Amino acid sequence: MTSSRVMMGTLVPLESIHATSCSLPNIPLFEGDNVIGRNDLKITDKRVSRKHISLKASANDGIEVIVEGPNPIIVSSQGQRRKICSNDKVFIKDGDIVELIPSTHLFKYMAIGNDNSFQTTQKNTNSSKREKRHSEERESSVSKRNKQILEDEALARDLQQAEDDSILEGSFEKKEALHNFRVSEEKISDTFRLMRVQGLPSWSNSNSVTIRDVIQGDVLVAILSNYMVDIDWLLSACPNLKKIPHVLVAHGESGASFDHLPVSHFKNKLGNWVFHKPPLPISYGTHHSKAMFLIYPTGIRIIVHTANLIHVDWNNKTQGLWMQDFPWKDASALTGNNRSPFENDLVDYLATLKIPELRVSLPSIGNVSINAAFFRKFDYSRAKVRLIASVPGYHNGSSLTKWGHMKLRSILESCKFSKEFSKSPLIYQFSSLGSLDEKWMNEFGSSLSAGKTDDGFPLGNGKPLVIFPTVEDVRCSLEGYAAGGAIPSPQKNVEKDFLRKYWARWKADHVGRCRAMPHIKTYTRYNGQDIAWFLLTSANLSKAAWGALQKNNTQLMIRSYELGVLFLPSMLLHESSFSCTSTSVVPTVSKSSSHVENPKAKLVSLCWNRERESNSSSEIVRLPIPYQLPPPTYTSEDIPWSWDRRYTKKDVYGQTWPNHV
């Protein structure tokens, strides 16, 4: 019995290096053998094994820690962090910090004697902690978010090595560019936001977004579209989902990967959830789109983003998210044929998913069927973006320009841009590279080079650069080589000779994300810090995602589902102050800019300098593009990451790749 054993110390849970936590219990350590795992902590994080670590405590030798599970731990002692892998052991002493998962589930070891005064103190401490926990639960979401930002800043100061400080902190001017990036609620749909990354200084998470920031309020129906879904994590990260009456998850997992969707495990708890895998008529395709459709009593919120619904994607990687709220149409608009391009593109896309029809009762609306046609009940006339979707199939005739890169080409062909973008360069930035050839790269480049100048001349082909992490970028990243698992490009695709002229470095110091490996996918045309157009999408650079022309360019073959949003200056000339959740924003569409003579909008990067802009009449819309423009090209020493090569140089955690545990 533990009561007859001598207590040697306790593991005190921490929110960060400097702040204790009330969400996890103190763990007493007794003389002899101790075991700690997921069940002891009462957490659902499956990265923590049921028998994660064992600790052998003795009065003479201290505490010996052995890693029993497959995942490594981190031990911080006297300012030094060490990664301890499976089956390895380490001794800890008073004041050392143990991270059961790197940067997660932190505990501080406090050595004690076996006296009654300590046990009495423990009781008082536990009582105080319960009171504190109840108090914290009453805090507003804003206060909690601010507190978390401060804690992450403290965590970053301790966990980042000295040589990384210049990258994470950056110059004063670069920090200010992101720190001053503030988007008012009525302008939030004009741009996109970066997702919050754990362990970074607060300046680099300025105006960043978490999943709780977007799934909030009185949601009646939620449709979550994604590739990978971890239900355990999703419910812990966004408890509000448990309160939503109807949830449909359109996913892309199958086979062994379907284990991430423990449907039977949650059947009793989540009887109102429906899981659906859209049809994939062509081999090697995936349902890769990442979006959320949230229906409220007042309208719909549409969110297009780049993250899988898993912990690492929403916490450790560079990701992007766009959202806009739209009101219900009034009765007269429902009977008319005045439908916006956004509406038509959205409904056409949703129809291809073949989602099972949901019959629900909505307040003030009544009984309705949630299907593709249902989404015509909302007013998208003030949409700030165009949708660029891909769906599997052989597309020809009128459908040739409906999907993939041909859809992007058709929209750009109808647009006029400033003369400065004539023959200006292109950026392709993504996290996975398909099997490509020069013919397809020219085909794709022609689509992204479409468009005319203000005086009607073609913009001409732009020279593309491909931003892609190097081996060294991955090795030195926040996750070490483990980040390379989410950059799944094989050597045969990456190391083709013709690609060498395209390679450019991932440099993200101005947003503090050099070491947060990109899972975001973006494509753009630019000149300096001026942006002609910008696409945020789920689509990697592959024929499967974008499509390949066949039959003398009369047919486009696409394998996968993808979804993205295209930012164009011409879409930003009106404002919409409608919000489904905010009481501070009037729930009506606001004035248009039509009263301004020849109104203009201008897309720019965060590093754009207003003092150098002579035309002050344009409305400036800043985009938090997370990489340097122009990007530095590869040197002779840079090697693009491929996940099936062996790397023997150890990463920041002392690991090689692949790590056979």
Side-chain angles (χ1 to χ4, degrees), residues 117-130:
S117 63
F118 175 81
Q119 296 177 20
T120 302
T121 302
Q122 280 292 100
K123 292 179 180 179
N124 294 335
T125 300
N126 291 338
S127 177
S128 298
K129 286 187 174 183
R130 283 195 296 271

Side-chain angles (χ1 to χ4, degrees), residues 230-285:
D230 182 338
I231 300 297
D232 273 321
W233 170 82
L234 184 58
L235 293 175
S236 64
C238 190
N240 194 41
L241 278 168
K242 300 175 184 177
K243 304 175 185 177
I244 299 176
H246 305 278
V247 179
L248 186 147
V249 179
H251 63 90
E253 305 211 70
S254 60
S257 298
F258 197 76
D259 292 339
H260 291 292
L261 283 173
V263 179
S264 58
H265 176 67
F266 289 98
K267 191 170 183 180
N268 294 331
K269 296 181 180 179
L270 303 176
N272 56 329
W273 285 46
V274 176
F275 295 86
H276 170 67
K277 184 178 180 181
L280 294 167
I282 302 177
S283 58
Y284 305 110

Side-chain angles (χ1 to χ4, degrees), residues 474-489:
V474 175
R475 188 183 73 84
C476 298
S477 70
L478 294 174
E479 302 170 84
Y481 282 131
I487 311 173
S489 299

Side-chain angles (χ1 to χ4, degrees), residues 69-115:
N71 290 323
I73 67 170
I74 300 291
V75 172
S76 297
S77 181
Q78 297 181 335
Q80 299 293 319
R81 296 178 77 231
R82 290 179 57 197
K83 187 171 187 177
I84 315 300
C85 297
S86 182
N87 298 321
D88 288 344
K89 63 179 66 175
V90 65
F91 281 89
I92 61 173
K93 58 182 180 300
D94 184 50
D96 287 352
I97 293 173
V98 178
E99 304 166 31
L100 297 184
I101 296 295
S103 301
T104 311
H105 309 314
L106 281 67
F107 288 84
K108 186 174 184 177
Y109 172 58
M110 305 290 288
I112 61 167
N114 184 29
D115 54 49

Side-chain angles (χ1 to χ4, degrees), residues 318-590:
T318 300
Q319 306 274 18
L321 178 148
W322 168 88
M323 77 176 194
Q324 184 172 353
D325 293 358
F326 303 94
W328 295 88
K329 287 179 179 177
D330 57 34
S332 60
L334 285 172
T335 58
N337 292 319
N338 187 18
R339 296 168 175 171
S340 70
F342 185 98
E343 176 181 331
N344 289 331
D345 292 341
L346 175 64
V347 172
D348 287 347
Y349 170 74
L350 291 174
T352 68
L353 299 181
K354 307 294 184 186
I355 59 175
E357 191 170 286
L358 299 179
R359 187 71 178 170
V360 302
S361 179
L362 302 179
S364 74
I365 302 296
N367 294 327
V368 296
S369 294
I370 306 294
N371 51 28
F374 167 81
F375 290 85
R376 292 201 182 275
K377 296 181 180 293
F378 303 96
D379 180 4
Y380 307 103
S381 60
R382 298 293 177 128
K384 297 297 186 73
V385 296
R386 289 295 304 269
L387 292 177
I388 305 295
S390 293
V391 301
Y394 298 91
H395 308 292
N396 47 45
S398 61
S399 295
L400 178 64
T401 58
K402 199 171 183 178
W403 312 108
H405 75 76
M406 292 300 291
K407 175 67 172 183
L408 181 56
R409 178 186 296 191
S410 69
I411 292 177
L412 294 178
E413 284 176 341
S414 67
C415 296
K416 290 187 176 181
F417 301 92
S418 171
K419 291 181 181 179
E420 68 174 305
F421 297 112
S422 179
K423 295 186 179 179
S424 63
L426 302 165
I427 294 292
Y428 309 161
Q429 180 274 312
F430 48 89
S431 60
S432 180
L433 182 70
S435 180
L436 306 179
D437 51 62
E438 288 193 85
K439 177 179 179 294
W440 186 85
M441 287 289 281
N442 291 333
E443 173 187 315
F444 186 68
S446 294
S447 288
L448 275 66
S449 296
K452 295 182 175 62
T453 61
D454 289 329
D455 51 9
F457 289 96
L459 287 178
N461 288 338
K463 179 182 178 181
L465 285 177
V466 170
I467 295 178
F468 196 75
T470 65
V471 174
E472 194 68 3
D473 290 333
V474 175
R475 188 183 73 84
C476 298
S477 70
L478 294 174
E479 302 170 84
Y481 282 131
I487 311 173
S489 299
Q491 186 175 352
K492 66 181 180 64
N493 292 355
V494 169
E495 298 186 1
K496 293 181 177 179
D497 288 342
F498 81 91
L499 290 173
R500 291 179 181 175
K501 60 180 177 288
Y502 297 112
W503 294 123
R505 290 288 305 275
W506 169 257
K507 293 289 288 183
D509 52 320
H510 66 296
V511 292
R513 283 165 170 75
C514 279
R515 298 180 65 225
M517 288 295 94
H519 192 263
I520 190 174
K521 288 89 172 166
T522 64
Y523 301 80
T524 189
R525 187 163 205 170
Y526 73 101
N527 182 18
Q529 304 305 315
D530 296 344
I531 309 299
W533 54 264
F534 185 87
L535 179 69
L536 175 72
T537 178
S538 64
N540 285 300
L541 191 65
S542 70
K543 298 177 184 179
W546 285 102
L549 288 170
Q550 300 174 334
K551 297 186 176 180
N552 198 26
N553 298 338
T554 63
Q555 178 173 281
L556 185 72
M557 191 272 279
I558 300 176
R559 298 181 186 273
S560 298
Y561 295 93
E562 309 284 356
L563 190 63
V565 289
L566 176 65
F567 296 87
L568 293 164
S570 59
M571 299 290 293
L572 304 172
L573 296 178
H574 52 257
E575 297 180 0
S576 175
S577 58
F578 175 76
S579 172
C580 289
T581 57
S582 176
T583 57
S584 62
V585 177
V586 180
T588 58
V589 291
S590 68

